[in-house]
Amino acid sequence: MSHPAAEAGWLTTTVNLANLALGSGLLAIPSAVQTGGIVWTLVWMVVFATVSGITLNVIQKAIAALSIQHKQHVATYMHAVKLAFGDRAELALSALILLKLYGTGIAYLIVVGDSLEPLTISAYEDKGDVPWYMQRQALISYFTVAIVLPLSLFRTLTALRFFSGLGVMAILYTATFVVADASSALEDEKADFTYMASGWDLFKPIGVLVLAFGCQLQSPQVFAEIRDPLMAADSPLDPNEGKEVVVSTTSADNVLDKPIKILEHGNSLADESTADEETALLIDPIDSPLKRMLPSVQRRVGVMNIAIVLTMIISFSLQATTGVFASLAYANLPGNVLNRYSPTKAPVVVARVAIAIAVTLTYPLVHSTARWTAYGLYCRYKQQQLRPPSTVAHVLLTVLFVVITWGVSLVITDVGVVLAVIGSAAGILTNYTIPALLVVRRGSPWQDNGRAKIAGWCLVGCSIPLGVFGVATVFL
């Protein structure tokens, strides 16, 4: 099912996903490449990009299936897990999501401080101490009040599409600057580098790379806001009614693989081949919006697949190129690659401002999922059905999230550690382990696909130890 105000096409969907997948991870990629070795880290990047694309596809197909099976509008990650695994799994996932998203929000604001503070220090180098209103804490506060908070008040991701586009362009400029500067440096002398690290260093890039392509948590909201490309948003019925489409049945058939004809049988829709009330999905054609949504599911899945492929290509290209060139040209790269550049040159100033703007424009997308998660916990406590929050609740939740992440970012300065810990622990579980469990669970669209179930169990088995190793290497 689509969002009641679904307006997003493939371009909007791609821009939002790419903005989420890139985020601030680009800054830590060069250090990760240098630590793990160029060839070895590129292999990890290919693996994570490929698996991320697959898990994104799994999530949106599972959500489409769950929406149809349960006749509910599923637009959040935690709602999908609740329907698939139950209330306890939803509660545990909510805690994981909040942990991950709070950490990500903190990391974004840390990047703002890391990017802008050297500029003010350089500007006041000959004038004495930097005044308090131009120090790191003040700069973070300005961006939080002027950009982060207002944009976080938007209710839908589609409404943020133009800001997401600006954020992607800002990241593109930063990547272009790093690659161009590294190319110039390579003409003079290459830095020492390794093709493949050894020992614990082999696993150290995991904490950063797992976030390099991670937009799984927000993907249900992105998918829910996709419009059917062949149907107007206010169309009462699908124009392809009567043609072969793919829907679910209450007998847990392969939801997205079985062709069924939409036919009217009194006040219901049924499978033409059986017309069996025990196996057919019964829908009231007047009261239920499912009637016009069902035939559009596959087309919306197709739009999402296009956006997923484009997002992975964009993310991999930018991050791999930046990481390889910087690691070849420079030695002893810091966790934030911009910290190795002198802040006095104009291109560096622009790059630092660009990345500060980029991460503050990504923050609202991350926050939207956190807000829905927190509100879902509130509804669970009150034993209420999850609905869009009131204006007061919406504003309060937004302000609370922004204030907490802002406060922590004022005292934490190492973005590399934050990204590594959050990425290795919560990131791997929510981005890879849970989507794999969506494949292997009983009643999934892949329950009769033996190879898909084997792949799912393999991903479950591999992702957990990788998360443990990733966290351990941060402190070793």
Side-chain angles (χ1 to χ4, degrees):
M1 296 174 64
S2 63
H3 192 277
E7 299 177 353
W10 68 269
L11 181 58
T12 294
T13 305
T14 301
V15 167
N16 279 334
L17 286 178
N19 194 19
L20 286 162
L22 288 167
S24 61
L26 179 76
L27 301 178
I29 291 294
S31 176
V33 172
Q34 195 169 75
T35 300
I38 292 177
V39 175
W40 180 249
T41 307
L42 283 178
V43 170
W44 275 119
M45 292 184 73
V46 171
V47 169
F48 279 119
T50 302
V51 176
S52 291
I54 293 172
T55 55
L56 283 166
N57 179 270
V58 166
I59 291 170
Q60 49 101 4
K61 283 188 175 180
I63 283 177
L66 290 167
S67 297
I68 297 169
Q69 286 175 327
H70 295 271
K71 306 178 186 178
Q72 296 183 26
H73 174 58
V74 181
T76 65
Y77 196 108
M78 69 172 188
H79 191 188
V81 169
K82 176 182 179 180
L83 296 178
F85 304 114
D87 291 341
R88 292 183 179 179
E90 178 204 15
L91 182 61
L93 176 65
S94 296
L96 275 175
I97 287 179
L98 288 176
L99 173 65
K100 173 179 168 54
L101 296 182
Y102 271 107
T104 304
I106 292 167
Y108 286 166
L109 296 181
I110 289 174
V111 170
V112 173
D114 287 348
S115 300
L116 300 181
E117 184 180 30
L119 301 181
T120 58
I121 293 176
S122 175
Y124 283 90
E125 185 175 5
D126 298 329
K127 303 177 183 179
D129 295 336
V130 178
W132 65 267
Y133 54 85
M134 293 298 290
Q135 293 179 0
R136 178 179 179 275
Q137 291 82 355
L139 297 172
I140 293 176
S141 301
Y142 299 151
F143 271 71
T144 301
V145 174
I147 301 177
V148 170
L149 182 57
L151 294 185
S152 295
L153 290 170
F154 281 87
R155 285 184 176 265
T156 67
L157 302 185
T158 303
L160 295 165
R161 60 189 180 276
F162 299 112
F163 301 104
S164 289
L166 180 60
V168 172
M169 294 302 295
I171 294 173
L172 176 61
Y173 172 83
T174 303
T176 303
F177 161 74
V178 173
V179 171
D181 188 83
S183 299
S184 299
L186 285 173
E187 294 178 358
D188 300 328
E189 183 180 0
K190 287 186 179 180
D192 293 333
F193 65 91
T194 59
Y195 290 103
M196 182 173 174
S198 59
W200 284 109
D201 286 344
L202 292 173
F203 298 96
K204 286 185 177 180
I206 294 174
V208 173
L209 296 181
V210 72
L211 291 182
F213 308 98
C215 48
Q216 285 86 341
L217 288 178
Q218 292 79 21
S219 64
Q221 293 172 262
V222 174
F223 179 65
E225 294 182 21
I226 295 176
R227 69 172 182 271
D228 181 348
L230 298 183
M231 190 171 84
D234 58 351
S235 177
L237 294 175
D238 191 283
N240 287 337
E241 183 175 338
K243 296 183 179 181
E244 279 196 341
V245 294
V246 178
V247 298
S248 172
T249 65
T250 54
S251 59
D253 289 330
N254 288 338
V255 177
L256 297 177
D257 298 327
K258 181 179 179 181
I260 297 177
K261 285 184 179 294
I262 299 298
L263 297 174
E264 294 190 10
H265 292 268
N267 289 331
S268 67
L269 303 178
D271 183 347
E272 181 187 26
S273 62
T274 63
D276 185 347
E277 291 187 358
E278 293 183 358
T279 60
L281 176 64
L282 304 182
I283 306 172
D284 186 326
I286 298 176
D287 297 332
S288 175
L290 276 170
K291 181 175 182 180
R292 69 180 176 87
M293 295 298 184
L294 285 175
S296 72
V297 169
Q298 283 287 46
R299 292 193 294 272
R300 294 174 53 244
V301 167
V303 173
M304 187 70 170
N305 285 339
I306 292 172
I308 290 171
V309 172
L310 292 175
T311 296
M312 293 302 108
I313 292 174
I314 293 170
S315 300
F316 180 83
S317 300
L318 285 179
Q319 298 184 97
T321 304
T322 303
V324 169
F325 273 82
S327 62
L328 285 174
Y330 314 123
N332 301 319
L333 285 168
N336 182 342
V337 68
L338 291 182
N339 286 341
R340 76 157 310 278
Y341 297 106
S342 171
T344 58
K345 297 181 179 180
V348 179
V349 173
V350 176
R352 286 184 171 276
V353 174
I355 203 66
I357 292 174
V359 295
T360 51
L361 294 177
T362 307
Y363 183 109
L365 302 176
V366 172
H367 163 262
S368 180
T369 301
R371 182 174 57 219
W372 270 109
T373 303
Y375 187 67
L377 290 175
Y378 172 79
C379 292
R380 177 187 176 92
Y381 174 75
K382 290 291 187 178
Q383 297 183 341
Q384 299 175 353
Q385 185 177 358
L386 181 62
R387 296 180 180 277
S390 65
T391 301
V392 173
H394 175 84
V395 172
L396 287 177
L397 287 171
T398 299
V399 172
L400 180 63
F401 182 90
V402 171
V403 168
I404 291 177
T405 54
W406 164 75
V408 176
S409 70
L410 298 183
V411 295
I412 295 181
T413 59
D414 191 347
V415 65
V417 172
V418 173
L419 286 176
V421 173
I422 298 299
S424 295
I428 286 181
L429 285 172
T430 55
N431 291 356
Y432 305 105
T433 308
I434 291 173
L437 292 175
L438 286 172
V439 173
V440 301
R441 74 178 182 88
R442 183 177 180 180
S444 80
W446 302 271
Q447 66 174 2
D448 296 328
N449 188 329
R451 287 182 296 180
K453 294 182 73 172
I454 292 173
W457 282 119
C458 288
L459 182 56
V460 171
C462 293
S463 62
I464 295 176
L466 283 178
V468 174
F469 280 128
V471 171
T473 54
V474 175
F475 304 99
L476 292 178

